[in-house]
Amino acid sequence: MSWALVIGLAAITFGAAAFLLKVGKGGWSLLGATLLFGLAGYGLQGSPGQPAAPGAFSAEQPVDGELLVTARREYFDSTQLPSRWIMTGDGFARRGDFEQAAGFYRSATEENPRDLEAWIALGIALVEHGEGNLTPAALYAFERAEALDGSNGGARYFLGLSWLRAGQPLRTRELWIKALENAPEDAAWREWLILRLLRLDAMLGITPPREETGE
């Protein structure tokens, strides 16, 4: 399968979700982020024209920092601004400077070890600074976030994306199912994760039980 066809399928998926399924503009960033990493996962394990090493692929396909920041914010109350450290780090992340961003996110966790968003942001930045590799430090950051609030699906979602890029979609599926199981019924991001899980299952040829998707 060529890259042109893969990208075309991604565009069709986005269009179907946004217009046929009446997905609001507020969730387009989260959908776009998932499609972005889905393409990355394909590039790592499904395309004969791409190198197997995550670093090599990432160098050719730079990650959109703006998209990552916006997608992360989907898991938090938009009326409550993050700490000054996170906001500064986001500025660097948007420009693709994840090393500097990670430094500010780390300062946020040091100032307030219970800052959930800071730990998630740190995990994301460390993965990107590691050229797509889920380093021990990044894994630790995601685990700390999960331990702070298991009902917030952000840590499991982004950790799942990291495993997807590493060519381990079954780990991704397990994490996303856990996120849905622990999610509040009225969580704004819940329907998006259901949609992403269904799409992942379709890619894997799995027909999930109805209770796994919360439907």
Side-chain angles (χ1 to χ4, degrees), residues 32-168:
T34 305
L35 290 174
L36 172 69
F37 287 114
L39 288 175
Y42 170 80
L44 292 176
Q45 65 174 349
S47 174
Q50 294 291 340
F57 177 80
S58 297
E60 296 179 7
Q61 300 290 329
V63 171
D64 188 330
E66 178 70 39
L67 197 61
L68 283 176
V69 171
T70 304
R72 189 199 72 227
R73 289 297 299 156
E74 294 284 346
Y75 286 88
F76 296 92
D77 186 350
S78 61
T79 64
Q80 296 182 358
L81 294 177
S83 73
R84 68 187 189 282
W85 294 114
I86 295 179
M87 294 180 69
T88 304
D90 285 352
F92 285 97
R94 289 186 174 98
R95 297 195 295 270
D97 189 344
F98 294 104
E99 181 178 12
Q100 290 291 336
F104 284 100
Y105 298 147
R106 187 175 289 108
S107 293
T109 65
E110 292 172 352
E111 181 177 78
N112 180 11
R114 299 193 62 79
D115 189 332
L116 173 64
E117 187 168 4
W119 284 109
I120 295 176
L122 178 59
I124 296 170
L126 290 173
V127 169
E128 299 312 322
H129 178 53
E131 298 184 327
N133 291 294
L134 182 60
T135 63
L139 180 60
Y140 174 77
F142 286 130
E143 289 176 344
R144 282 295 301 269
E146 183 180 333
L148 283 172
D149 185 359
S151 67
N152 183 296
R156 291 189 177 103
Y157 176 74
F158 286 102
L159 178 56
L161 288 180
S162 298
W163 283 121
L164 182 62
R165 294 170 74 182
Q168 299 194 43

